[in-house]
Amino acid sequence: MEKETETTSSLTSPAEVKSNNKQKEALGWMEWLRGWFAVSYEFMFQRILASHLQNPLPLPPVNDLTCIVTGSTSGIGREIARQLAESGAHVVMAVRNLKAANELIQKWQEEWSGRGLPLNIEAMELDLLSLDSVVRFAEAWNARLGPLHVLINNAGIFSIGEPQKFSKDGYEEHMQVNHLAPALLSILLLPSLIRGSPSRIINVNSVMHYVGFVDTEDMNVVSGKRKFTSLLGYSSSKLAQVKFSSILQKRLPAEAGINVICVSPGIVHTNVARDLSKLVQAAYHFIPYFIFSPQEGSRSTLFSATDPQMQEYCDLLRADDWPVCPFISQECRPANPSEEAHNLETSYKVWEKTLELVGLPLDAVERLVEGEEVKCRYGAQQE
């Protein structure tokens, strides 16, 4: 902790002000090429690399687990929620559309009838485009005073080809849904995760973070230094998530028993295709060999959430003071995030800027671990 404090303070010291003026404003061309090579490699070879995995992925006993899964009415989130519930876990579907979630639950219960006890699954409202909604969800869950063993931040958006949009909180939508809201949710749920220790925060990330770059002074991409595209918004938000997760993993003391893991589901045929051009949508149907189904894409998240050896792997990285959080590939094996993700200086800047944007104090994690209350400027308590 002492080492981390020194790093953080050095980022805000007067000596850094001058150097900040010369900070990177984009990826270097070599980093950019390596990033696109990683994306292309995963697209071309993901099915071969993951050929050793069963589909669906067999899960260890999870009867004692309580799991929250965001964005679980479609895509891989839907598969994750269903498979965890059918394996015996208590699953909470954290979703915007409660009607759709409850209809799914009824359908799953009917399909499961006669195969065992009814599925232990419920739905709670959560809108990641509203930080007030995130705070209200966390308050409602923490008020139960029960354990949370796995938080799966699955929900995300990739509005391909769409113009830049902002949430009612004033943040670029990719950055809010893919990074800011999950970050706020993760921190606010720490009291429940501590009660469920050993517990895990699983962030469904993307190989696209390899081509991302985060400018902490322009996270909304409004300064004009960079032209906004949906690709920029998505890749930057996914890199921000890895960077934030890396510092959260460092901030959490080992005795808290909480690990933060990012996973790549691979390149998956999900509802993202709805936002693609007709030409690209047509290509999706011609290249099914390369694209994962949602069930195949769910495997790395399910593995990271349930495999008993994951705790040992996280402990090893923590002991070695590894600069980035554990990252699991679509083939359910440890992977190395991008070179930019290893930049601890910018990771601490992303950490500080994120806490500022979501309205939390810089010592929020430490105070919550100690059992203290932390106020957020969003949520019902501020109404």
Side-chain angles (χ1 to χ4, degrees):
M1 186 62 68
E2 181 180 351
K3 182 177 180 181
E4 294 164 14
T5 304
E6 291 173 358
T7 306
T8 307
S9 62
S10 69
L11 293 176
T12 56
S13 66
E16 288 292 325
V17 174
K18 191 172 182 180
S19 65
N20 284 346
N21 295 328
K22 299 179 181 179
Q23 66 183 343
K24 288 175 63 175
E25 295 185 359
L27 288 181
W29 69 272
M30 283 295 292
E31 295 171 290
W32 185 81
L33 283 177
R34 282 196 294 267
W36 278 111
F37 176 80
V39 174
S40 302
Y41 184 84
E42 180 157 312
F43 173 76
M44 293 295 294
F45 298 107
Q46 65 174 6
R47 189 168 294 281
I48 296 173
L49 294 170
S51 60
H52 64 285
L53 298 176
Q54 296 182 54
N55 188 46
L57 187 75
L59 301 183
V62 294
N63 302 66
D64 297 329
L65 295 187
T66 295
C67 310
I68 292 176
V69 186
T70 68
S72 43
T73 55
S74 64
I76 66 173
R78 175 173 171 167
E79 285 296 322
I80 291 165
R82 181 184 62 81
Q83 291 183 57
L84 285 172
E86 290 183 356
S87 298
H90 171 207
V91 176
V92 180
M93 300 174 69
V95 297
R96 281 193 302 172
N97 190 337
L98 280 177
K99 181 176 181 291
N102 285 318
E103 288 175 352
L104 265 180
I105 292 172
Q106 183 178 354
K107 176 174 179 277
W108 290 342
Q109 295 285 18
E110 291 172 354
E111 293 173 347
W112 187 254
S113 179
R115 299 168 62 184
L117 294 174
L119 302 179
N120 188 0
I121 186 167
E122 62 177 300
M124 291 179 65
E125 185 175 9
L126 173 64
D127 182 1
L128 297 182
L129 279 171
S130 166
L131 296 181
D132 286 333
S133 176
V134 174
V135 176
R136 287 195 294 268
F137 177 93
E139 288 177 342
W141 180 260
N142 287 332
R144 297 187 181 190
L145 299 179
L148 174 61
H149 303 99
V150 184
L151 168 62
I152 300 178
N153 288 311
N154 161 76
I157 60 170
F158 189 0
S159 302
I160 299 177
E162 294 290 317
Q164 188 173 22
K165 297 177 184 177
F166 297 89
S167 70
K168 69 177 184 180
D169 299 310
Y171 303 131
E172 194 276 316
E173 286 191 354
H174 291 91
M175 188 60 70
Q176 173 149 339
V177 173
N178 298 343
H179 168 54
L180 295 177
L184 177 60
L185 182 65
S186 299
I187 291 180
L188 294 181
L189 288 177
L190 286 179
S192 294
L193 287 161
I194 290 172
R195 284 192 289 270
S197 173
S199 53
R200 304 172 188 180
I201 299 171
I202 311 296
N203 292 320
V204 180
N205 201 259
S206 170
V207 69
M208 292 299 295
H209 87 271
Y210 278 85
V211 294
F213 181 81
V214 186
D215 183 350
T216 52
E217 300 305 317
D218 187 29
M219 289 179 75
N220 273 340
V221 195
V222 294
S223 68
K225 290 190 295 183
R226 299 176 296 169
K227 180 181 177 181
F228 177 84
T229 64
S230 52
L231 176 62
L232 172 66
Y234 181 77
S235 60
S236 298
S237 66
K238 289 301 185 180
L239 177 62
Q241 185 180 62
V242 177
K243 286 179 167 291
F244 183 88
S245 300
S246 298
I247 305 305
L248 178 56
Q249 174 76 349
K250 289 179 175 294
R251 290 292 193 197
L252 289 167
E255 54 269 23
I258 306 171
N259 284 301
V260 188
I261 304 158
C262 285
V263 305
S264 171
I267 299 174
V268 185
H269 194 181
T270 66
N271 283 346
V272 164
R274 295 177 308 182
D275 301 318
L276 300 175
S277 68
K278 290 184 178 179
L279 179 63
V280 179
Q281 285 191 52
Y284 256 63
H285 296 290
F286 283 108
I287 50 178
Y289 177 80
F290 298 100
I291 305 283
F292 278 171
S293 68
Q295 188 176 73
E296 291 170 317
S298 69
R299 293 177 299 192
S300 56
T301 301
L302 289 167
F303 170 81
S304 300
T306 64
D307 189 86
Q309 294 184 355
M310 188 58 63
Q311 178 73 39
E312 181 182 353
Y313 173 63
C314 294
D315 290 344
L316 285 173
L317 293 188
R318 193 189 294 272
D320 291 342
D321 200 22
W322 187 241
V324 290
C325 64
F327 194 96
I328 302 301
S329 73
Q330 38 76 27
E331 56 193 287
C332 298
R333 288 173 175 157
N336 201 7
S338 70
E339 180 179 337
E340 181 61 22
H342 283 70
N343 188 327
L344 266 181
E345 181 179 352
T346 57
S347 292
Y348 275 106
K349 289 179 180 178
V350 168
W351 168 263
E352 293 183 352
K353 189 66 175 180
T354 298
L355 291 178
E356 175 190 330
L357 294 178
V358 301
L360 288 175
L362 291 179
D363 62 349
V365 170
E366 289 79 5
R367 288 166 58 184
L368 287 169
V369 168
E370 292 297 323
E372 300 178 24
E373 289 189 9
V374 171
K375 289 188 177 181
C376 176
R377 71 168 180 264
Y378 294 98
Q381 63 184 1
Q382 299 299 319
E383 293 177 355

Coordinates of all heavy atoms in Angstrom, one line a residue, residues 27-42 205-213 231 234-240 242 264 324 327-329 334-342:
L27 N -2.0 6.4 -29.5 CA -1.1 5.3 -29.6 C 0.0 5.6 -30.7 O -0.3 6.2 -31.7 CB -1.8 4.0 -30.0 CG -2.8 3.4 -29.0 CD1 -3.4 2.1 -29.6 CD2 -2.0 3.0 -27.7
G28 N 1.2 5.1 -30.4 CA 2.3 5.2 -31.4 C 1.9 4.2 -32.6 O 1.1 3.3 -32.4
W29 N 2.5 4.4 -33.7 CA 2.0 3.6 -34.9 C 2.4 2.1 -34.7 O 1.7 1.2 -35.1 CB 2.6 4.1 -36.2 CG 4.1 4.0 -36.3 CD1 5.1 4.8 -35.9 CD2 4.8 2.9 -37.0 NE1 6.3 4.4 -36.2 CE2 6.2 3.2 -36.9 CE3 4.4 1.7 -37.6 CZ2 7.2 2.3 -37.4 CZ3 5.4 0.9 -38.1 CH2 6.8 1.2 -38.0
M30 N 3.5 1.8 -34.0 CA 3.9 0.4 -33.7 C 2.8 -0.2 -32.8 O 2.4 -1.3 -33.0 CB 5.3 0.3 -33.1 CG 6.4 0.5 -34.1 SD 6.4 -0.8 -35.3 CE 6.9 -2.2 -34.3
E31 N 2.4 0.5 -31.7 CA 1.4 0.0 -30.8 C 0.1 -0.2 -31.5 O -0.6 -1.2 -31.3 CB 1.2 1.0 -29.7 CG 2.4 1.2 -28.7 CD 2.2 2.4 -27.8 OE1 2.1 3.5 -28.2 OE2 2.0 2.1 -26.6
W32 N -0.2 0.7 -32.4 CA -1.5 0.6 -33.2 C -1.5 -0.6 -34.1 O -2.4 -1.3 -34.2 CB -1.6 1.9 -34.0 CG -2.9 2.0 -34.8 CD1 -4.1 2.4 -34.3 CD2 -3.1 1.7 -36.2 NE1 -5.1 2.4 -35.3 CE2 -4.5 2.0 -36.5 CE3 -2.3 1.3 -37.2 CZ2 -5.0 1.8 -37.8 CZ3 -2.8 1.1 -38.5 CH2 -4.1 1.3 -38.7
L33 N -0.3 -0.8 -34.8 CA -0.2 -2.0 -35.6 C -0.3 -3.3 -34.8 O -1.0 -4.3 -35.2 CB 1.1 -2.0 -36.4 CG 1.1 -1.0 -37.6 CD1 2.5 -1.0 -38.2 CD2 0.1 -1.4 -38.7
R34 N 0.4 -3.3 -33.7 CA 0.3 -4.5 -32.8 C -1.1 -4.8 -32.3 O -1.5 -5.9 -32.2 CB 1.3 -4.4 -31.6 CG 2.8 -4.6 -32.0 CD 3.6 -4.9 -30.7 NE 3.7 -3.7 -29.9 CZ 4.7 -2.8 -30.0 NH1 5.6 -3.0 -30.9 NH2 4.7 -1.7 -29.2
G35 N -1.8 -3.7 -32.0 CA -3.2 -3.8 -31.6 C -4.1 -4.4 -32.6 O -4.8 -5.3 -32.3
W36 N -4.0 -3.9 -33.8 CA -4.8 -4.5 -34.9 C -4.4 -5.9 -35.3 O -5.2 -6.7 -35.7 CB -4.8 -3.6 -36.1 CG -5.7 -2.4 -35.9 CD1 -5.4 -1.1 -35.8 CD2 -7.2 -2.5 -35.9 NE1 -6.6 -0.4 -35.6 CE2 -7.7 -1.2 -35.7 CE3 -8.1 -3.6 -36.0 CZ2 -9.0 -0.9 -35.6 CZ3 -9.4 -3.3 -35.9 CH2 -9.9 -2.0 -35.7
F37 N -3.1 -6.2 -35.1 CA -2.7 -7.6 -35.3 C -3.4 -8.5 -34.3 O -3.8 -9.6 -34.7 CB -1.2 -7.7 -35.2 CG -0.7 -9.1 -35.4 CD1 -0.5 -9.7 -36.6 CD2 -0.3 -9.8 -34.2 CE1 -0.1 -11.0 -36.7 CE2 0.1 -11.2 -34.3 CZ 0.2 -11.7 -35.6
A38 N -3.4 -8.1 -33.1 CA -4.1 -8.9 -32.0 C -5.5 -9.1 -32.3 O -6.1 -10.2 -32.1 CB -3.9 -8.2 -30.6
V39 N -6.2 -8.0 -32.8 CA -7.6 -8.1 -33.1 C -7.8 -9.1 -34.3 O -8.7 -10.0 -34.2 CB -8.2 -6.7 -33.5 CG1 -9.6 -6.9 -34.0 CG2 -8.2 -5.8 -32.3
S40 N -7.0 -9.0 -35.3 CA -7.1 -9.8 -36.5 C -6.8 -11.3 -36.1 O -7.5 -12.2 -36.6 CB -6.2 -9.3 -37.6 OG -6.4 -8.0 -38.0
Y41 N -5.8 -11.5 -35.3 CA -5.4 -12.8 -34.9 C -6.5 -13.5 -34.2 O -6.8 -14.7 -34.4 CB -4.1 -12.7 -34.0 CG -3.6 -14.1 -33.6 CD1 -2.7 -14.8 -34.5 CD2 -3.9 -14.6 -32.4 CE1 -2.2 -16.0 -34.2 CE2 -3.4 -15.9 -32.0 CZ -2.5 -16.6 -32.9 OH -2.0 -17.8 -32.6
E42 N -7.2 -12.8 -33.2 CA -8.3 -13.4 -32.5 C -9.4 -13.7 -33.4 O -10.0 -14.8 -33.3 CB -8.8 -12.4 -31.4 CG -9.9 -13.0 -30.6 CD -10.0 -12.4 -29.2 OE1 -9.0 -12.2 -28.5 OE2 -11.1 -12.0 -28.8
N205 N -14.6 -7.7 -21.0 CA -13.8 -6.7 -21.8 C -13.8 -7.0 -23.3 O -14.7 -7.6 -23.8 CB -12.4 -6.5 -21.2 CG -11.7 -5.2 -21.5 OD1 -10.9 -5.1 -22.4 ND2 -12.1 -4.2 -20.8
S206 N -12.7 -6.7 -24.0 CA -12.7 -7.0 -25.4 C -11.3 -6.9 -25.9 O -10.5 -6.1 -25.4 CB -13.6 -5.9 -26.2 OG -13.3 -6.0 -27.6
V207 N -10.9 -7.7 -26.9 CA -9.6 -7.5 -27.6 C -9.5 -6.2 -28.2 O -8.4 -5.7 -28.5 CB -9.5 -8.6 -28.6 CG1 -10.4 -8.4 -29.8 CG2 -8.0 -8.8 -29.1
M208 N -10.6 -5.4 -28.4 CA -10.5 -4.1 -29.0 C -9.8 -3.1 -28.1 O -9.5 -2.0 -28.5 CB -11.9 -3.6 -29.3 CG -12.6 -4.4 -30.4 SD -11.8 -4.3 -32.0 CE -11.9 -2.5 -32.4
H209 N -9.6 -3.5 -26.8 CA -8.9 -2.5 -26.0 C -7.4 -2.3 -26.4 O -6.8 -1.4 -26.1 CB -8.9 -3.0 -24.5 CG -7.8 -3.9 -24.1 ND1 -8.0 -5.3 -24.2 CD2 -6.6 -3.8 -23.7 CE1 -6.8 -5.9 -23.8 NE2 -6.0 -5.0 -23.5
Y210 N -6.9 -3.3 -27.3 CA -5.6 -3.2 -27.8 C -5.4 -2.0 -28.7 O -4.3 -1.5 -28.9 CB -5.2 -4.5 -28.6 CG -4.8 -5.6 -27.7 CD1 -5.7 -6.5 -27.1 CD2 -3.4 -5.9 -27.5 CE1 -5.3 -7.5 -26.3 CE2 -3.0 -6.9 -26.7 CZ -3.9 -7.8 -26.1 OH -3.5 -8.8 -25.3
V211 N -6.5 -1.5 -29.3 CA -6.4 -0.4 -30.2 C -7.0 0.9 -29.6 O -7.2 1.9 -30.2 CB -7.1 -0.6 -31.6 CG1 -6.3 -1.7 -32.3 CG2 -8.5 -1.0 -31.4
G212 N -7.2 0.8 -28.3 CA -7.7 2.0 -27.6 C -6.7 2.9 -27.0 O -5.5 2.5 -26.7
F213 N -7.1 4.1 -26.7 CA -6.2 5.1 -26.0 C -7.1 6.0 -25.1 O -8.1 6.4 -25.6 CB -5.4 5.9 -26.9 CG -4.4 6.9 -26.3 CD1 -3.2 6.4 -25.8 CD2 -4.8 8.2 -26.1 CE1 -2.4 7.3 -25.1 CE2 -4.0 9.1 -25.4 CZ -2.7 8.6 -24.9
L231 N -15.8 3.5 -33.0 CA -14.6 2.6 -32.7 C -13.7 3.3 -31.6 O -13.3 2.6 -30.7 CB -13.8 2.4 -34.0 CG -12.6 1.5 -33.8 CD1 -12.9 0.1 -33.3 CD2 -11.8 1.5 -35.1
Y234 N -15.6 3.0 -28.3 CA -15.7 1.7 -27.7 C -14.3 1.2 -27.2 O -14.2 0.8 -26.1 CB -16.2 0.7 -28.8 CG -16.3 -0.7 -28.3 CD1 -17.4 -1.1 -27.5 CD2 -15.4 -1.7 -28.7 CE1 -17.5 -2.4 -27.1 CE2 -15.5 -3.0 -28.2 CZ -16.5 -3.4 -27.4 OH -16.6 -4.6 -27.0
S235 N -13.3 1.3 -28.1 CA -12.0 0.8 -27.7 C -11.4 1.6 -26.5 O -10.7 1.0 -25.6 CB -11.0 0.9 -28.9 OG -10.9 2.2 -29.4
S236 N -11.6 2.9 -26.5 CA -11.1 3.7 -25.3 C -11.8 3.3 -24.0 O -11.2 3.3 -23.0 CB -11.4 5.2 -25.6 OG -10.7 5.6 -26.7
S237 N -13.1 3.1 -24.1 CA -13.9 2.7 -22.9 C -13.4 1.3 -22.4 O -13.3 1.1 -21.2 CB -15.4 2.7 -23.1 OG -15.7 1.6 -24.1
K238 N -13.1 0.4 -23.3 CA -12.6 -0.9 -22.9 C -11.2 -0.8 -22.3 O -10.9 -1.6 -21.3 CB -12.7 -1.9 -24.0 CG -14.1 -2.3 -24.4 CD -14.8 -2.9 -23.3 CE -16.2 -3.4 -23.7 NZ -16.9 -4.1 -22.5
L239 N -10.3 0.0 -22.8 CA -9.0 0.2 -22.2 C -9.1 0.8 -20.9 O -8.4 0.5 -19.9 CB -8.1 1.0 -23.2 CG -6.7 1.3 -22.6 CD1 -5.9 0.1 -22.4 CD2 -6.0 2.3 -23.5
A240 N -10.0 1.8 -20.8 CA -10.2 2.5 -19.5 C -10.6 1.5 -18.4 O -10.2 1.5 -17.2 CB -11.2 3.6 -19.6
V242 N -9.9 -1.8 -18.3 CA -8.7 -2.6 -17.9 C -7.8 -1.8 -16.9 O -7.4 -2.3 -15.9 CB -7.9 -3.0 -19.1 CG1 -6.6 -3.8 -18.7 CG2 -8.7 -3.9 -20.0
S264 N -11.9 -11.6 -22.1 CA -12.3 -11.3 -23.5 C -13.2 -12.5 -23.9 O -12.8 -13.7 -23.8 CB -11.1 -11.3 -24.4 OG -11.5 -11.3 -25.8
V324 N -0.8 -5.1 -14.2 CA -2.2 -5.1 -14.7 C -3.0 -6.2 -14.0 O -2.5 -7.2 -13.5 CB -2.3 -5.3 -16.2 CG1 -1.7 -4.1 -17.0 CG2 -1.5 -6.6 -16.7
F327 N -6.1 -11.1 -16.7 CA -6.9 -11.0 -17.9 C -7.0 -12.4 -18.5 O -6.0 -13.1 -18.7 CB -6.2 -10.0 -18.9 CG -7.0 -9.6 -20.1 CD1 -7.7 -8.4 -20.0 CD2 -7.2 -10.4 -21.2 CE1 -8.5 -8.0 -21.1 CE2 -7.9 -10.0 -22.2 CZ -8.6 -8.8 -22.2
I328 N -8.2 -12.8 -18.8 CA -8.5 -14.2 -19.3 C -8.9 -14.1 -20.7 O -9.9 -13.3 -21.0 CB -9.5 -14.9 -18.4 CG1 -9.0 -15.0 -16.9 CG2 -9.7 -16.3 -18.9 CD1 -7.7 -15.7 -16.7
S329 N -8.3 -14.9 -21.6 CA -8.7 -14.8 -23.0 C -9.9 -15.6 -23.3 O -10.5 -16.4 -22.4 CB -7.5 -15.4 -23.8 OG -7.5 -16.8 -23.7
P334 N -4.9 -17.5 -19.2 CA -4.3 -16.2 -18.9 C -3.8 -15.6 -20.2 O -3.1 -16.2 -21.0 CB -3.2 -16.5 -17.9 CG -3.6 -17.8 -17.3 CD -4.3 -18.6 -18.4
A335 N -4.0 -14.3 -20.3 CA -3.5 -13.5 -21.4 C -2.9 -12.2 -20.9 O -3.1 -11.8 -19.8 CB -4.7 -13.2 -22.4
N336 N -2.1 -11.6 -21.8 CA -1.5 -10.3 -21.5 C -2.2 -9.2 -22.1 O -2.3 -9.1 -23.4 CB 0.0 -10.4 -21.9 CG 0.9 -9.4 -21.2 OD1 0.4 -8.8 -20.2 ND2 2.1 -9.2 -21.6
P337 N -2.7 -8.2 -21.4 CA -3.4 -7.1 -22.0 C -2.4 -6.2 -22.8 O -1.2 -6.5 -22.9 CB -3.9 -6.3 -20.8 CG -4.0 -7.2 -19.7 CD -2.8 -8.2 -19.9
S338 N -2.9 -5.2 -23.4 CA -2.1 -4.4 -24.3 C -0.9 -3.7 -23.6 O -0.9 -3.6 -22.4 CB -3.0 -3.3 -25.0 OG -3.4 -2.4 -24.1
E339 N 0.0 -3.3 -24.4 CA 1.2 -2.5 -23.9 C 0.7 -1.3 -23.2 O 1.2 -0.9 -22.1 CB 2.1 -2.2 -25.0 CG 3.4 -1.4 -24.6 CD 4.3 -1.1 -25.8 OE1 4.2 -1.8 -26.8 OE2 5.1 -0.2 -25.6
E340 N -0.2 -0.6 -23.7 CA -0.7 0.6 -23.1 C -1.4 0.3 -21.8 O -1.4 1.1 -20.8 CB -1.7 1.4 -24.0 CG -2.3 2.7 -23.5 CD -1.2 3.7 -23.2 OE1 -0.1 3.7 -23.8 OE2 -1.5 4.6 -22.4
A341 N -2.0 -0.8 -21.6 CA -2.7 -1.2 -20.4 C -1.6 -1.4 -19.3 O -2.0 -1.3 -18.1 CB -3.4 -2.5 -20.5
H342 N -0.4 -1.7 -19.6 CA 0.7 -1.8 -18.6 C 1.2 -0.5 -18.1 O 2.0 -0.5 -17.2 CB 1.9 -2.6 -19.2 CG 1.6 -4.1 -19.3 ND1 0.7 -4.6 -20.2 CD2 2.1 -5.1 -18.6 CE1 0.7 -6.0 -20.1 NE2 1.5 -6.3 -19.1

